[in-house]
Amino acid sequence: MAVGPDYQKPVVLAPSKWNSKASTQAPRLGDWWKNLHDPVLDQLVADGIAASPDVATAKAKVRQARANYASAGGVLYPSLDGSGSYTRSDNGSTGASSQSSLGFKTQWELDLFGANHRGVEAAYYNMEAADEQLRGALVTLIGDIATNYAQLRGVQANIAIAQRNAASQRQTVALTRNQLQAGHISQVDLLSAETQAASTEAQIPGLRISYATYLNNLSVLTGRSSSALAAVLDKTRPIPSVPRKVSAGLPADLLLSRPDIRAAEREYASSTASIGQKQAALYPGISLSGDINTGGAKIGDLARLSTIGWSFGPSLSVPIFNGGKLNADVEAARAARDQSFIAYRKAILTALSEVENASVSLNQNRLRVAQQQRIVSNSRKINELTLDQYRAGTKSFIDVLTAQRDLLNAETGLAQARTDLVLGYVALQKALGGGWNGRIDVSKPEIVDGPTGPHFVRPAIPASPATDTRPS
């Protein structure tokens, strides 16, 4: 028997389709990053799962929750404690005498109104929530690794674009200098060419700062040193390509695929059980206790030629007056349950919103990439034709500078569009709850202790140095 509300999983009415017109075909969320076909990214994810501080913290919380559940279950059973003593005395006149005793004491709380059972129930739900939070940490970790990796490759592409355009613009500076010496142009044209080339080169330091930022972010996420990562990531690779077809499944699928939603639902269940735990304190409590003791002059006499005493009986405790504390505790537990339920509903709304946003971003960036590709193709042709016409004297130098600047902007825009396309894909997989399909071993602690049984302990604080008594 137990008091308090019994938990019932809430019924959630999810939309039947996505407002963003995302495909409702069932997605393949396991190992989704491998669809980008980038072996470097695959290795980074594997490194992160093995060494990420966030994942290690989540695993430790799982171990803690499991231990708390085991501890909570212990109160359902009787306890048994033993005690013993032996004394020997000699007063000189009557000679030596000895006395031995041995005793056992047991106690069992009957838990008539389910306080302990509700506590075990709450601990069980907390344990399940910790498992889901570990899965959620993996979803976040993999998404963050893929995001920073895509941004790093995007910056790397922009550095190459800036260097290539700067080199081309420096060639134009040399051409302009020759034209100036021949008297065909003015000093202003030369200064304009040098300024444009310098402006392009000035973008590179800022890009290198961004590159270092993403590199160091990946260092934290994967648990690897930045120097070790640089040896791999400094080798240029293209921005990953997104699969042509990406599905989002049904909105209702999020209730099963998103670990943060499942964790919020388990926390709501735990807070419901806690109400009954607090409410049980309003009712009487009954415990059974007993003890047995034996004593004798010799250890061998215990339980045979010794005195034996025992007692056994119930004890009753009834709350009579507590200044309203117990009722206030119940009300506080109900308020905490409300907060958990609100957090659960918010997690669902947030998940739906994230999928919608990521789906729109993915679809629109596909269009953007296609448009930028056409712009880059046209800009390259315009740049080549303008330079040829400038040499032939049919185009002004302003036209050359404009064509070069437009080409740089077009190529930079294409690299950013490709990066944003990958980011949209990553965001969608993360919003859908895509993560790690492999097994995660949570049993191994981060710190392995040596012998922890009885042993001598060294002082934790070094002793103060001896006072120097030598004469000054």
Side-chain angles (χ1 to χ4, degrees):
M1 183 172 63
V3 297
D6 296 326
Y7 177 70
Q8 294 182 350
K9 194 171 183 178
V11 177
V12 178
L13 298 178
S16 60
K17 59 183 180 180
W18 301 104
N19 185 53
S20 59
K21 305 298 189 294
S23 171
T24 56
Q25 188 176 7
R28 297 181 61 183
L29 299 177
D31 298 348
W32 58 263
W33 62 93
K34 293 184 179 179
N35 294 328
L36 297 174
H37 303 294
D38 192 314
V40 177
L41 175 59
D42 295 345
Q43 186 59 52
L44 291 175
V45 171
D47 292 341
I49 291 171
S52 165
D54 291 339
V55 173
T57 299
K59 291 194 291 186
K61 289 182 178 179
V62 170
R63 292 196 301 273
Q64 181 183 23
R66 290 179 181 179
N68 288 339
Y69 173 60
S71 175
V75 300
L76 299 177
Y77 302 97
S79 64
L80 178 65
D81 298 313
S83 63
S85 66
Y86 174 79
T87 57
R88 183 172 178 82
S89 62
D90 188 347
N91 60 12
S93 59
T94 60
S97 63
S98 61
Q99 182 67 34
S100 301
S101 66
L102 180 65
F104 296 95
K105 184 176 182 179
T106 183
Q107 187 168 3
W108 183 25
E109 184 179 354
L110 295 184
D111 196 27
L112 293 179
F113 298 97
N116 294 334
H117 281 84
R118 291 299 193 191
V120 174
E121 184 182 354
Y124 176 77
Y125 290 138
N126 285 332
M127 180 181 67
E128 290 192 323
D131 288 335
E132 297 299 341
Q133 288 163 357
L134 171 58
R135 296 185 182 93
L138 290 169
V139 169
T140 300
L141 171 72
I142 295 169
D144 289 349
I145 290 176
T147 295
N148 281 274
Y149 180 76
Q151 291 171 322
L152 181 141
R153 291 304 183 196
V155 170
Q156 198 174 54
N158 280 326
I159 291 173
I161 290 169
Q163 290 174 333
R164 183 173 62 251
N165 280 270
S168 176
Q169 291 166 6
R170 284 297 173 190
Q171 292 177 354
T172 302
V173 170
L175 173 63
T176 307
R177 188 174 287 110
N178 292 334
Q179 296 278 37
L180 177 64
Q181 293 172 355
H184 297 154
I185 61 172
S186 67
Q187 182 73 22
V188 172
D189 291 334
L190 177 60
L191 292 174
S192 297
E194 290 179 341
T195 299
Q196 181 150 298
S199 297
T200 302
E201 292 169 342
Q203 297 178 14
I204 297 175
L207 292 170
R208 293 196 184 280
I209 292 172
S210 297
Y211 180 87
T213 299
Y214 298 130
L215 176 69
N216 292 324
N217 288 347
L218 288 170
S219 174
V220 175
L221 291 167
T222 61
R224 297 178 62 182
S225 67
S226 57
S227 58
L229 284 179
V232 176
L233 297 177
D234 285 352
K235 299 176 183 177
T236 303
R237 288 186 62 88
I239 300 170
S241 298
V242 172
R244 291 183 177 272
K245 294 183 179 180
V246 180
S247 301
L250 293 170
D253 294 340
L254 291 180
L255 302 180
L256 299 177
S257 64
R258 289 268 301 221
D260 60 331
I261 294 179
R262 297 197 301 265
E265 185 267 330
R266 295 289 84 185
E267 289 171 349
Y268 168 46
S270 176
S271 63
T272 302
S274 295
I275 296 175
Q277 190 176 19
K278 296 296 184 181
Q279 191 171 342
L282 297 171
Y283 295 86
I286 298 178
S287 298
L288 297 177
S289 61
D291 60 78
I292 183 170
N293 295 282
T294 179
K298 300 178 181 179
I299 294 179
D301 292 340
L302 294 178
R304 291 192 302 115
L305 302 175
S306 61
T307 59
I308 299 178
W310 61 271
S311 64
F312 180 79
S315 61
L316 175 67
S317 64
V318 180
I320 297 176
F321 179 76
N322 47 62
K325 177 183 180 302
L326 298 181
N327 285 309
D329 289 344
V330 174
E331 185 57 33
R334 293 184 184 278
R337 190 261 308 269
D338 286 350
Q339 295 175 54
S340 298
F341 179 62
I342 294 169
Y344 173 60
R345 289 193 307 179
K346 183 179 178 180
I348 296 173
L349 294 174
T350 300
L352 292 170
S353 175
E354 288 175 351
V355 173
E356 295 280 17
N357 290 337
S359 179
V360 171
S361 175
L362 181 65
N363 294 333
Q364 294 305 310
N365 278 312
R366 283 192 192 277
L367 300 175
R368 182 178 160 208
V369 167
Q371 293 167 348
Q372 284 294 139
Q373 287 174 332
R374 288 192 291 270
I375 293 172
V376 168
S377 179
N378 292 338
S379 296
R380 285 173 179 168
K381 292 177 182 178
I382 292 172
N383 184 60
E384 293 173 0
L385 293 173
T386 301
L387 194 57
D388 289 341
Q389 293 173 1
Y390 171 70
R391 291 190 182 101
T394 59
K395 282 286 186 179
S396 70
F397 188 67
I398 295 298
D399 294 328
V400 173
L401 295 180
T402 301
Q404 290 180 338
R405 185 167 54 249
D406 290 346
L407 177 59
L408 174 62
N409 292 337
E411 291 182 338
T412 301
L414 177 58
Q416 187 60 55
R418 285 174 171 164
T419 302
D420 290 343
L421 178 60
V422 180
L423 297 182
Y425 174 73
V426 172
L428 180 58
Q429 301 307 308
K430 185 177 176 181
L432 292 173
W436 178 252
N437 267 0
R439 180 178 176 272
I440 298 295
D441 183 10
V442 301
S443 61
K444 183 180 179 181
E446 290 293 308
I447 300 174
V448 179
D449 296 313
T452 58
H455 60 284
F456 292 103
V457 181
R458 295 188 220 171
I461 302 176
S464 301
T467 304
D468 189 354
T469 56
R470 293 177 296 175
S472 57

